[in-house]
PDB file of all heavy atoms in Angstrom:
ATOM      1  N   SER K1259       3.807 -18.144 -11.039  1.00 98.00           N
ATOM      2  CA  SER K1259       3.759 -16.987 -11.927  1.00 98.00           C
ATOM      3  C   SER K1259       4.109 -17.412 -13.357  1.00 98.00           C
ATOM      4  O   SER K1259       3.391 -17.011 -14.331  1.00 98.00           O
ATOM      5  CB  SER K1259       4.648 -15.861 -11.429  1.00 98.00           C
ATOM      6  OG  SER K1259       5.972 -16.268 -11.453  1.00 98.00           O
ATOM      7  N   GLU K1278      12.913 -24.413 -16.526  1.00 98.00           N
ATOM      8  CA  GLU K1278      12.859 -24.582 -15.085  1.00 98.00           C
ATOM      9  C   GLU K1278      14.180 -25.250 -14.594  1.00 98.00           C
ATOM     10  O   GLU K1278      14.569 -26.201 -15.055  1.00 98.00           O
ATOM     11  CB  GLU K1278      11.642 -25.342 -14.671  1.00 98.00           C
ATOM     12  CG  GLU K1278      11.640 -25.817 -13.205  1.00 98.00           C
ATOM     13  CD  GLU K1278      11.801 -24.663 -12.192  1.00 98.00           C
ATOM     14  OE1 GLU K1278      11.033 -23.622 -12.246  1.00 98.00           O
ATOM     15  OE2 GLU K1278      12.716 -24.796 -11.202  1.00 98.00           O
ATOM     16  N   ARG K1280      14.781 -26.544 -11.583  1.00 97.00           N
ATOM     17  CA  ARG K1280      14.580 -27.831 -10.905  1.00 97.00           C
ATOM     18  C   ARG K1280      14.102 -28.958 -11.690  1.00 97.00           C
ATOM     19  O   ARG K1280      13.798 -28.740 -12.846  1.00 97.00           O
ATOM     20  CB  ARG K1280      13.592 -27.549  -9.693  1.00 97.00           C
ATOM     21  CG  ARG K1280      13.885 -26.472  -8.753  1.00 97.00           C
ATOM     22  CD  ARG K1280      12.754 -26.216  -7.800  1.00 97.00           C
ATOM     23  NE  ARG K1280      12.807 -24.877  -7.213  1.00 97.00           N
ATOM     24  CZ  ARG K1280      13.394 -24.639  -6.036  1.00 97.00           C
ATOM     25  NH1 ARG K1280      13.975 -25.560  -5.382  1.00 97.00           N
ATOM     26  NH2 ARG K1280      13.407 -23.330  -5.570  1.00 97.00           N
ATOM     27  N   ARG K1286       8.185 -22.112  -5.236  1.00 96.00           N
ATOM     28  CA  ARG K1286       7.878 -21.892  -3.842  1.00 96.00           C
ATOM     29  C   ARG K1286       6.527 -22.394  -3.416  1.00 96.00           C
ATOM     30  O   ARG K1286       6.044 -22.047  -2.309  1.00 96.00           O
ATOM     31  CB  ARG K1286       8.056 -20.400  -3.498  1.00 96.00           C
ATOM     32  CG  ARG K1286       9.479 -19.980  -3.283  1.00 96.00           C
ATOM     33  CD  ARG K1286       9.667 -18.533  -3.146  1.00 96.00           C
ATOM     34  NE  ARG K1286       9.575 -17.845  -4.436  1.00 96.00           N
ATOM     35  CZ  ARG K1286       9.474 -16.547  -4.637  1.00 96.00           C
ATOM     36  NH1 ARG K1286       9.475 -15.748  -3.560  1.00 96.00           N
ATOM     37  NH2 ARG K1286       9.378 -16.024  -5.751  1.00 96.00           N
ATOM     38  N   TRP K1303      -1.770 -21.704   2.462  1.00 95.00           N
ATOM     39  CA  TRP K1303      -3.067 -21.073   2.602  1.00 95.00           C
ATOM     40  C   TRP K1303      -3.401 -20.274   1.334  1.00 95.00           C
ATOM     41  O   TRP K1303      -2.641 -19.676   0.650  1.00 95.00           O
ATOM     42  CB  TRP K1303      -3.064 -20.115   3.842  1.00 95.00           C
ATOM     43  CG  TRP K1303      -3.271 -20.892   5.111  1.00 95.00           C
ATOM     44  CD1 TRP K1303      -4.391 -21.188   5.701  1.00 95.00           C
ATOM     45  CD2 TRP K1303      -2.175 -21.379   5.892  1.00 95.00           C
ATOM     46  NE1 TRP K1303      -4.169 -21.872   6.800  1.00 95.00           N
ATOM     47  CE2 TRP K1303      -2.829 -22.004   7.031  1.00 95.00           C
ATOM     48  CE3 TRP K1303      -0.780 -21.437   5.784  1.00 95.00           C
ATOM     49  CZ2 TRP K1303      -2.081 -22.662   8.028  1.00 95.00           C
ATOM     50  CZ3 TRP K1303      -0.128 -22.036   6.809  1.00 95.00           C
ATOM     51  CH2 TRP K1303      -0.674 -22.622   7.846  1.00 95.00           C
ATOM     52  N   VAL K1649       0.689 -16.466  -3.196  1.00 97.00           N
ATOM     53  CA  VAL K1649       0.466 -17.363  -4.432  1.00 97.00           C
ATOM     54  C   VAL K1649      -0.425 -16.501  -5.398  1.00 97.00           C
ATOM     55  O   VAL K1649      -0.099 -16.498  -6.620  1.00 97.00           O
ATOM     56  CB  VAL K1649      -0.220 -18.636  -3.984  1.00 97.00           C
ATOM     57  CG1 VAL K1649      -0.666 -19.395  -5.290  1.00 97.00           C
ATOM     58  CG2 VAL K1649       0.705 -19.511  -3.140  1.00 97.00           C
TER      59      VAL K1649
HETATM   60  C1  LIG Y3106       7.482 -21.350   3.604  1.00 64.22           C
HETATM   61  C2  LIG Y3106       6.560 -20.486   2.707  1.00 64.22           C
HETATM   62  C3  LIG Y3106       5.278 -20.358   3.056  1.00 64.22           C
HETATM   63  C4  LIG Y3106       4.391 -19.626   2.232  1.00 64.22           C
HETATM   64  N1  LIG Y3106       3.001 -19.597   2.549  1.00 64.22           N
HETATM   65  C5  LIG Y3106       2.197 -19.026   1.662  1.00 64.22           C
HETATM   66  C6  LIG Y3106       0.781 -19.147   1.872  1.00 64.22           C
HETATM   67  O1  LIG Y3106       0.349 -19.839   2.832  1.00 64.22           O
HETATM   68  N2  LIG Y3106      -0.109 -18.464   1.028  1.00 64.22           N
HETATM   69  C7  LIG Y3106       0.376 -17.777  -0.030  1.00 64.22           C
HETATM   70  O2  LIG Y3106      -0.479 -17.192  -0.741  1.00 64.22           O
HETATM   71  N3  LIG Y3106       1.682 -17.657  -0.204  1.00 64.22           N
HETATM   72  C8  LIG Y3106       2.573 -18.301   0.560  1.00 64.22           C
HETATM   73  N4  LIG Y3106       3.918 -18.167   0.309  1.00 64.22           N
HETATM   74  C9  LIG Y3106       4.433 -17.373  -0.823  1.00 64.22           C
HETATM   75  C10 LIG Y3106       4.269 -18.116  -2.213  1.00 64.22           C
HETATM   76  O3  LIG Y3106       4.653 -19.461  -2.068  1.00 64.22           O
HETATM   77  C11 LIG Y3106       5.022 -17.335  -3.251  1.00 64.22           C
HETATM   78  O4  LIG Y3106       4.727 -16.003  -3.205  1.00 64.22           O
HETATM   79  C12 LIG Y3106       4.785 -17.862  -4.633  1.00 64.22           C
HETATM   80  O5  LIG Y3106       4.765 -19.272  -4.734  1.00 64.22           O
HETATM   81  C13 LIG Y3106       5.850 -17.327  -5.580  1.00 64.22           C
HETATM   82  O6  LIG Y3106       5.641 -17.836  -6.883  1.00 64.22           O
HETATM   83  P1  LIG Y3106       6.650 -17.253  -8.025  1.00 64.22           P
HETATM   84  O7  LIG Y3106       6.168 -17.858  -9.266  1.00 64.22           O
HETATM   85  O8  LIG Y3106       6.737 -15.794  -7.954  1.00 64.22           O
HETATM   86  O9  LIG Y3106       8.051 -17.822  -7.673  1.00 64.22           O
HETATM   87  P2  LIG Y3106       8.601 -19.267  -7.552  1.00 64.22           P
HETATM   88  O10 LIG Y3106       7.534 -20.245  -7.160  1.00 64.22           O
HETATM   89  O11 LIG Y3106       9.844 -19.241  -6.750  1.00 64.22           O
HETATM   90  O12 LIG Y3106       9.019 -19.702  -9.059  1.00 64.22           O
HETATM   91  C14 LIG Y3106      10.174 -19.237  -9.652  1.00 64.22           C
HETATM   92  C15 LIG Y3106      10.754 -20.485 -10.364  1.00 64.22           C
HETATM   93  O13 LIG Y3106      11.981 -20.021 -10.967  1.00 64.22           O
HETATM   94  C16 LIG Y3106      12.946 -21.228 -10.893  1.00 64.22           C
HETATM   95  N5  LIG Y3106      14.277 -20.654 -11.043  1.00 64.22           N
HETATM   96  C17 LIG Y3106      15.046 -20.082 -10.142  1.00 64.22           C
HETATM   97  N6  LIG Y3106      16.286 -19.783 -10.649  1.00 64.22           N
HETATM   98  C18 LIG Y3106      16.229 -20.230 -11.882  1.00 64.22           C
HETATM   99  C19 LIG Y3106      17.197 -20.165 -13.032  1.00 64.22           C
HETATM  100  N7  LIG Y3106      18.454 -19.680 -12.889  1.00 64.22           N
HETATM  101  N8  LIG Y3106      16.839 -20.834 -14.151  1.00 64.22           N
HETATM  102  C20 LIG Y3106      15.609 -21.425 -14.287  1.00 64.22           C
HETATM  103  N9  LIG Y3106      14.660 -21.407 -13.349  1.00 64.22           N
HETATM  104  C21 LIG Y3106      14.984 -20.839 -12.196  1.00 64.22           C
HETATM  105  C22 LIG Y3106      12.661 -21.759  -9.519  1.00 64.22           C
HETATM  106  O14 LIG Y3106      13.098 -23.071  -9.356  1.00 64.22           O
HETATM  107  C23 LIG Y3106      11.151 -21.635  -9.437  1.00 64.22           C
HETATM  108  O15 LIG Y3106      10.498 -22.824  -9.899  1.00 64.22           O
HETATM  109  C24 LIG Y3106       4.847 -18.973   1.058  1.00 64.22           C
HETATM  110  C25 LIG Y3106       6.190 -19.050   0.774  1.00 64.22           C
HETATM  111  C26 LIG Y3106       7.076 -19.847   1.527  1.00 64.22           C
HETATM  112  C27 LIG Y3106       8.510 -19.933   1.156  1.00 64.22           C
END
Side-chain angles (χ1 to χ4, degrees):
S1259 61
E1278 167 56 49
R1280 302 174 200 269
R1286 282 171 282 169
W1303 281 270
V1649 170

